[in-house]
């Protein structure tokens, strides 16, 4: 068995993979593959409808929110959201700078208006979430990134702002219970907690749209996809289908309260061991630690790296190497990761200390 | 057995579907699914590299062309190509209007400059390809659509133009031998001849880029994806993989000369029967008929539609209904469609005539 700690694309529930594999051969007993039927067939429309309904149910979204599935990843959202929300004349937005992806979002927004960075943790290599910043009132929206995979930090509270609150939840969507109505626009690439790469979830409060006064290319206009229920053009059929299966798995098992409890158990397991173990240390500030990505380093890399790498690989662990911006190790423990796999990693850490401390 | 005449997403080779299904469970004997590993793993980078190499080999592309896999379908290309190629000041492009998709491309281009429609078959519900039009010399590019799925027409020759020649080949890419170096930009959604929905192939002659003087959002700039070899952000892993498998199938069987001969055989079979059969007629001008989509109508729909629909459905045929803009029937006989399935349809047409003429 492989214990898959990949940062993304990442682990999905085994039953979802089995069902997806079958659907490639024979979908809905049509004797046709899921990927060779019309996206406008009643069979696929039912998939899209169920995916949208599950998102609304799991996040407890009231009337007035639209849920769409797009393509292009969060990276395309960086420009789409700015084009849709930033006023055409003297547009202005506030961004919280919590890492590499927040920076990419800031760069794209600057093409469409003025960007005020209200807080940044760049000076400490993004090992914490800025707090106590002033939230400007005269902006078209406020943008933040809820989880920073590279740096292992996560926002555990969100600012109260007068402007629409926009959040990139690519790496922690569906990981916890929260009041999701505090957000006006949520977007997330599928490939961490939702499904395979190739679909992007966008949740938008309808009332914030249509106010920019900007001419937007059809495919980049949220209203295009809302009006056509994500079928303006051919959607990424397979990625939407597997996302739907994953959401169904989440719902069936107990939804966000169930997954949050499981995620906290996994996070406690790994963080407690990192803090206890004399050979390792965590890189993120404790109060801002991520439920999804635990980043840690060896205290003496020169002495121990080779032996530790050998040990975790022999234990069947994969994808544990950290991002080059932080180095060391990153245990990505997304929704689908079982507690048992985290325990295997914890056991390796303990065992390594016993042999090498 | 189902004979899948769907217009798209559409039939793929059975061996490709089998291999894709297996990769969802266990890819490259990693004991991991294709869709839960990093796109930067050597296993997936090899997939992307092979897909690119196969495109270059099959189309006999010389040095100087880049091949990238994007997301968003041809619809996103409508705005991307205009943003990348249309001059920022007094931009001007020529478009050939051959149907619904050409019109969508024209609409998006108008947001970035002046569009001259050099020829149109709109007056005859797009049942032919305009010819003999003057090709303007003072434009940033010339855009055409090689195959029109809805109307069953296909360009069998392309104009010699001084400007870069841009072609939407979404529904006939890889269907025939041709000098592909006559084009400067080719784009195609995967979901007809190449793979599942969710990937878009773009082939671009490098020298035409970087001349617009326009500021382009990062994700919409072809040079972003060329520089990062389609890995600027997470690519649509599954759609690229299945496209690679389909290209491998095409190459192994003999490439474009093999598939063109097979496609001509299938097209001859169906068109000969439509022309011979006293109860049906083809909708497209004969000289412009598509190798990919044969559109035809009953001469007496009121008398025969119900019985004909019953008969083809009983024969295991699916996806034969025409698009609402043309009505009647559309036999989409893309690359993966075997001759045997076309013969089944031809036999149904003959049988129907015998019983109802």
């Amino acid at each position: 068995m492989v214990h898959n700690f990949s940062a993304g694309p990442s682990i999905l529930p085994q039953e979802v993979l089995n069902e997806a594999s079958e659907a490639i051969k024979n979908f809905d007993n049509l004797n046709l593959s899921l990927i060779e039927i019309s996206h406008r067939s009643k069979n696929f429309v039912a998939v899209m409808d169920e995916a949208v309904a599950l998102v609304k149910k799991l996040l407890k979204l009231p009337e007035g929110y639209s849920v769409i599935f797009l393509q292009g990843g969060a990276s395309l959202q960086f420009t789409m959201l700015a084009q849709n929300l930033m006023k055409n004349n003297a547009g202005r937005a506030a961004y919280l700078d919590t890492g590499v992806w927040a920076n990419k979002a800031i760069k794209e927004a600057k093409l469409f208006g003025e960007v005020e960075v209200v807080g940044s943790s760049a000076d400490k290599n993004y090992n914490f979430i800025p707090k106590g910043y002033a939230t400007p009132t005269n902006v078209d929206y406020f943008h933040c990134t809820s989880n920073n995979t590279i740096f292992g930090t996560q926002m555990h509270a969100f600012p109260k702002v007068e402007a629409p609150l926009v959040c990139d939840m690519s790496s922690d969507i569906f990981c916890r219970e929260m009041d999701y109505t505090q957000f006006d626009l949520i977007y997330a690439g599928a490939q961490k907690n939702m499904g395979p790469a190739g679909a992007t979830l966008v949740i938008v409060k309808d009332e914030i749209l249509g106010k920019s006064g900007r001419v937007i290319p059809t495919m980049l206009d949220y209203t295009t996809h809302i009006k056509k229920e994500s079928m303006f053009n051919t959607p990424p059929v397979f990625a939407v289908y597997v996302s739907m299966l994953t959401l169904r798995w989440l719902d069936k098992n107990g939804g966000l309260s169930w997954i949050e409890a499981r995620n906290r158990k996994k996070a406690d397991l790994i963080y407690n061991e990192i803090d206890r173990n004399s050979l390792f240390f965590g890189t993120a500030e404790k109060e801002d630690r991520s439920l999804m990505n635990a980043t840690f380093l060896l205290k003496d890399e020169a002495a121990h790296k080779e032996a530790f790498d050998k040990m975790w690989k022999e234990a069947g662990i994969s994808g544990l190497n950290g991002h080059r911006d932080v180095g060391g190790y990153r245990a990505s423990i997304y929704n689908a990761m079982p507690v048992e796999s985290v325990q295997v990693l914890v056991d390796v850490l303990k065992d390594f200390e016993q042999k090498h401390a």
Side-chain angles (χ1 to χ4, degrees), chain A:
Chain A
M1 185 183 170
V2 179
H3 305 285
N4 181 8
F5 287 85
S6 174
S10 52
I11 188 168
L12 290 170
Q14 191 57 48
E15 65 188 77
V16 167
L17 295 173
N18 292 344
E19 201 166 343
S21 174
E22 178 57 29
I24 295 300
K25 289 199 278 197
N26 182 7
F27 173 57
D28 263 7
N29 290 317
L30 294 171
N31 288 318
L32 288 169
S33 170
L34 167 74
I35 59 175
E36 57 174 1
I37 62 167
S38 171
H39 56 291
R40 301 196 190 280
S41 63
K42 68 177 191 310
N43 305 75
F44 184 72
V45 170
V47 169
M48 181 65 86
D49 289 348
E50 184 173 350
V52 169
L54 282 165
V55 170
K56 289 182 176 175
K57 181 183 177 189
L58 288 163
L59 302 183
K60 297 186 173 70
L61 297 174
E63 288 292 305
Y65 281 87
S66 291
V67 172
I68 48 179
F69 286 88
L70 304 180
Q71 298 185 57
S75 295
L76 188 61
Q77 292 311 303
F78 298 159
T79 186
M80 267 183 87
L81 72 92
Q83 292 193 51
N84 280 263
L85 302 182
M86 192 97 81
K87 293 273 191 304
N88 196 28
N89 289 315
R92 194 155 170 272
Y95 276 70
L96 189 63
D97 172 25
T98 56
V100 168
W101 294 95
N103 264 281
K104 290 184 185 218
I106 289 166
K107 181 185 170 206
E108 298 309 309
K110 283 181 176 170
L111 299 185
F112 296 94
E114 195 187 325
V115 171
E116 183 181 342
V117 177
V118 297
S120 173
S121 45
D123 60 327
K124 290 194 167 176
N125 198 28
Y126 297 113
N127 76 346
F128 71 102
I129 300 288
K131 295 168 205 83
Y133 46 83
T135 53
T137 54
N138 56 343
V139 292
D140 300 328
Y141 61 91
F142 178 94
H143 181 280
C144 57
T145 313
S146 55
N147 188 71
N148 303 282
T149 34
I150 294 173
F151 306 99
T153 64
Q154 187 176 28
M155 295 177 76
H156 299 304
F158 293 84
K160 300 258 179 278
V161 286
E162 285 182 35
L165 182 58
V166 177
C167 188
D168 177 358
M169 293 195 190
S170 290
S171 56
D172 68 352
I173 185 97
F174 304 118
C175 85
R176 56 183 164 178
E177 285 198 291
M178 198 161 41
D179 174 12
Y180 287 92
T181 65
Q182 67 188 301
F183 303 99
D184 298 274
L185 177 68
I186 296 169
Y187 62 98
Q191 67 269 15
K192 319 283 192 184
N193 271 343
M194 196 172 72
T200 314
L201 173 65
V202 175
I203 298 157
V204 60
K205 199 169 187 177
D206 300 323
E207 67 181 38
I208 71 167
L209 298 178
K211 296 179 175 176
S212 73
R214 191 183 292 282
V215 177
I216 307 168
T218 306
M219 277 293 285
L220 303 178
D221 189 336
Y222 291 127
T223 61
T224 299
H225 303 286
I226 292 169
K227 278 182 199 155
K228 296 290 187 178
E229 298 180 322
S230 305
M231 298 271 201
F232 172 74
N233 68 335
T234 315
V237 167
F238 177 77
V240 172
Y241 174 70
V242 180
S243 296
M244 184 280 283
L245 292 180
T246 308
L247 295 171
R248 206 189 255 175
W249 166 85
L250 185 53
D251 183 49
K252 186 184 68 181
N253 281 290
L256 297 195
S257 64
W258 167 73
I259 201 72
E260 178 172 347
R262 195 169 99 141
N263 285 335
R264 290 199 182 281
K265 187 171 178 185
K266 291 184 290 181
D268 285 348
L269 262 177
I270 181 71
Y271 286 123
N272 286 343
E273 177 58 24
I274 290 168
D275 291 342
R276 188 206 61 73
N277 196 303
S278 62
L279 301 183
F280 297 90
F281 68 101
T283 66
E285 287 292 333
K286 285 188 183 180
E287 67 175 15
D288 300 322
R289 277 174 167 175
S290 168
L291 279 174
M292 299 281 99
N293 314 91
T295 48
F296 57 100
L297 299 180
L298 277 161
K299 288 179 181 165
D300 187 346
E301 198 162 277
H304 293 140
K305 181 171 168 28
E306 194 178 334
F308 180 60
D309 288 353
K310 187 162 177 284
M311 187 181 271
W312 60 261
K313 284 174 186 170
E314 281 176 0
I317 287 169
S318 93
L320 197 68
N321 285 317
H323 188 277
R324 63 183 177 277
D325 286 355
V326 175
Y329 304 97
R330 170 171 51 172
S332 295
I333 50 178
Y334 295 116
N335 281 358
M337 167 71 71
V339 177
E340 293 69 25
S341 286
V342 180
Q343 189 61 56
V344 168
L345 172 59
V346 166
D347 290 346
V348 167
L349 289 165
K350 283 185 201 295
D351 192 23
F352 187 76
E353 185 192 33
Q354 282 199 332
K355 287 179 178 145
H356 295 272

